[in-house]
Amino acid sequence: MSAQEDHIPVMLREVLAALSPKENGVYVDATFGAGGYSRAILESSNCTVYGFDRDPNAIADAADLVERFKGRLFVKNRPFSEMREALAEDGVENIDGVVFDLGVSSMQLDQPERGFSFRDNGRLSMRMDCGSPDAADVIAAGDVKELAAVFKAYGEEKKANAIARAIVSSRDEAPISTTTALADIVSAASPKFPMQKIHPATRVFQALRIFVNDELGELVRGLRAAEQLLRPAGRLVVVAFHSLEDRIVKRFLANRMNARQGGSRHMPEKDQIVPSFEPVYTKPLSPDDDEIVKNARARSAKLRAAGRLPAPPLVFADEDIGLPSFEIVDAFKRKLAL
């Protein structure tokens, strides 16, 4: 069995139930990875799946799966925010469902050379598309205020200032180019307390990864693309792993489910329109205890699902969706051309 076939994605049973694939339907696996969701969807019904992934390695590894489901599985080396344009190139204007499995994939975490994890030493990269600038460039270019702002915005790191100062001080002596070098600096600046469950560098690594990949901006653009593509009764299913992602998904859906009752504060009352989504579940689902025992990475997962209504797509300001906006972070992005 290949690594792809052996891989079981988080909350697979719940995702399939929420997506409810139907015969001859068209579905999008927005975060293809090892193809676990795509394979399960294709095995559950005689449908078509389009898989998207920024990682060229994921697309290359999909060759056997594409051959197995020839004519029914198509993979695109594109960010999921571009799904509408990519599908239009194939003559697809509407879909019956889309699933997002947010964050970094297990395969990326398990490859030290990709630099996503401090568990093993590797080059400090973290770019999902293998491009640049990467995390090492961010660490090398940022001043104390810029780095601290990134750690606060995307890692919600309470000791962001102290960590940023330690990084700038350390890089004056030698470049910081590996995962363990950065993790050691962060650990020294933010010692782990006896009751602390996570490694001191966890939030800093999360923040850098989100920043260099523009993951939150990508998520907002992807959700909007999905809303435009979904047919009435089509399903949107999102599995999120931390509060920043889940907050965006929650607000995105809340705005679109509650439009009739008031919607955005930026939209005058006379312009209120009907909701574009309805809930599949009233509350987010979490993995069961058995899954958490088998896969510790599933423990923080939350699944939200919604069904598309016939109303046209809605447009709200980014602040109403929950996208963090910090002047220093935004300026730093422009400085790095991210």
Side-chain angles (χ1 to χ4, degrees), residues 21-99:
K22 64 182 182 181
E23 295 294 298
N24 301 316
V26 178
Y27 297 89
V28 166
D29 183 350
T31 46
F32 184 78
Y37 289 133
S38 290
R39 183 173 61 249
I41 294 167
L42 290 162
E43 289 174 343
S44 70
S45 68
N46 183 28
C47 61
T48 301
V49 172
Y50 289 85
F52 287 81
D53 206 299
R54 286 192 275 182
D55 190 340
N57 296 327
I59 300 303
D61 291 342
D64 288 345
L65 201 61
V66 170
E67 180 61 27
R68 176 181 167 186
F69 294 102
K70 195 169 185 177
R72 296 176 56 210
L73 174 61
F74 305 90
V75 294
K76 308 283 187 180
N77 188 198
R78 303 270 290 269
F80 56 63
S81 61
E82 297 177 6
M83 69 173 81
R84 192 180 180 203
E85 296 84 352
L87 291 175
E89 292 169 5
D90 284 2
V92 178
E93 296 182 357
N94 297 106
I95 60 176
D96 297 287
V98 55
V99 56

Side-chain angles (χ1 to χ4, degrees), residues 35-335:
Y37 289 133
S38 290
R39 183 173 61 249
I41 294 167
L42 290 162
E43 289 174 343
S44 70
S45 68
N46 183 28
C47 61
T48 301
V49 172
Y50 289 85
F52 287 81
D53 206 299
R54 286 192 275 182
D55 190 340
N57 296 327
I59 300 303
D61 291 342
D64 288 345
L65 201 61
V66 170
E67 180 61 27
R68 176 181 167 186
F69 294 102
K70 195 169 185 177
R72 296 176 56 210
L73 174 61
F74 305 90
V75 294
K76 308 283 187 180
N77 188 198
R78 303 270 290 269
F80 56 63
S81 61
E82 297 177 6
M83 69 173 81
R84 192 180 180 203
E85 296 84 352
L87 291 175
E89 292 169 5
D90 284 2
V92 178
E93 296 182 357
N94 297 106
I95 60 176
D96 297 287
V98 55
V99 56
F100 295 81
D101 178 16
L102 303 177
V104 64
S105 73
S106 299
M107 290 68 64
Q108 290 167 332
L109 284 171
D110 292 338
Q111 297 171 343
E113 66 275 13
R114 301 298 299 277
F116 285 99
S117 172
F118 46 77
R119 183 179 58 196
D120 298 300
N121 194 30
R123 181 174 176 271
L124 190 60
S125 175
M126 302 192 195
R127 280 289 295 244
M128 292 179 175
D129 61 0
C130 302
S132 63
D134 60 12
D137 296 320
V138 173
I139 292 298
D143 61 25
V144 171
K145 287 185 178 179
E146 290 167 335
L147 293 175
V150 169
F151 302 155
K152 289 176 184 176
Y154 300 128
E156 299 179 318
E157 174 55 64
K158 294 179 180 179
K159 297 183 179 180
N161 291 318
I163 292 170
R165 287 194 296 269
I167 289 171
V168 171
S169 176
S170 296
R171 80 179 186 210
D172 288 341
E173 300 178 10
I176 303 168
S177 58
T178 66
T179 55
T180 53
L182 177 60
D184 289 345
I185 293 166
V186 175
S187 296
S190 178
K192 183 176 180 179
F193 294 105
M195 298 301 292
Q196 189 175 339
K197 294 182 179 180
I198 65 172
H199 190 283
T202 300
R203 293 188 178 91
V204 168
F205 271 65
Q206 171 188 297
L208 283 171
R209 193 200 79 224
I210 291 174
F211 181 68
V212 299
N213 294 292
D214 189 25
E215 289 182 39
L216 301 187
E218 178 74 4
L219 172 57
V220 171
R221 294 187 292 273
L223 291 172
R224 287 173 171 160
E227 181 182 21
Q228 292 172 321
L229 283 166
L230 283 166
R231 294 186 178 94
R235 294 288 181 87
L236 169 66
V237 182
V238 186
V239 179
F241 292 86
H242 61 73
S243 59
L244 290 175
E245 297 169 336
D246 186 57
R247 190 179 305 145
I248 288 172
V249 178
K250 179 180 179 180
R251 290 183 181 177
F252 177 89
L253 290 175
N255 284 340
R256 285 150 176 79
M257 292 175 185
N258 299 323
R260 184 178 288 135
Q261 285 73 40
S264 167
R265 66 179 184 275
H266 298 283
M267 187 181 293
E269 186 67 30
K270 65 182 178 63
D271 294 328
Q272 297 299 313
I273 50 180
V274 297
S276 58
F277 280 100
E278 62 181 354
V280 173
Y281 306 115
T282 56
K283 294 182 179 180
L285 303 184
S286 299
D288 60 31
D289 293 339
D290 288 342
E291 180 168 6
I292 293 172
V293 169
K294 294 175 183 176
N295 181 9
R297 290 174 181 167
R299 64 184 180 276
S300 60
K302 285 187 178 181
L303 183 154
R304 295 183 186 274
R308 189 70 168 87
L309 295 172
L314 304 185
V315 178
F316 292 104
D318 283 349
E319 59 266 32
D320 279 344
I321 297 174
L323 185 64
S325 179
F326 298 89
E327 186 175 344
I328 295 175
V329 174
D330 294 340
F332 191 23
K333 281 183 181 178
R334 293 192 293 272
K335 172 180 168 181

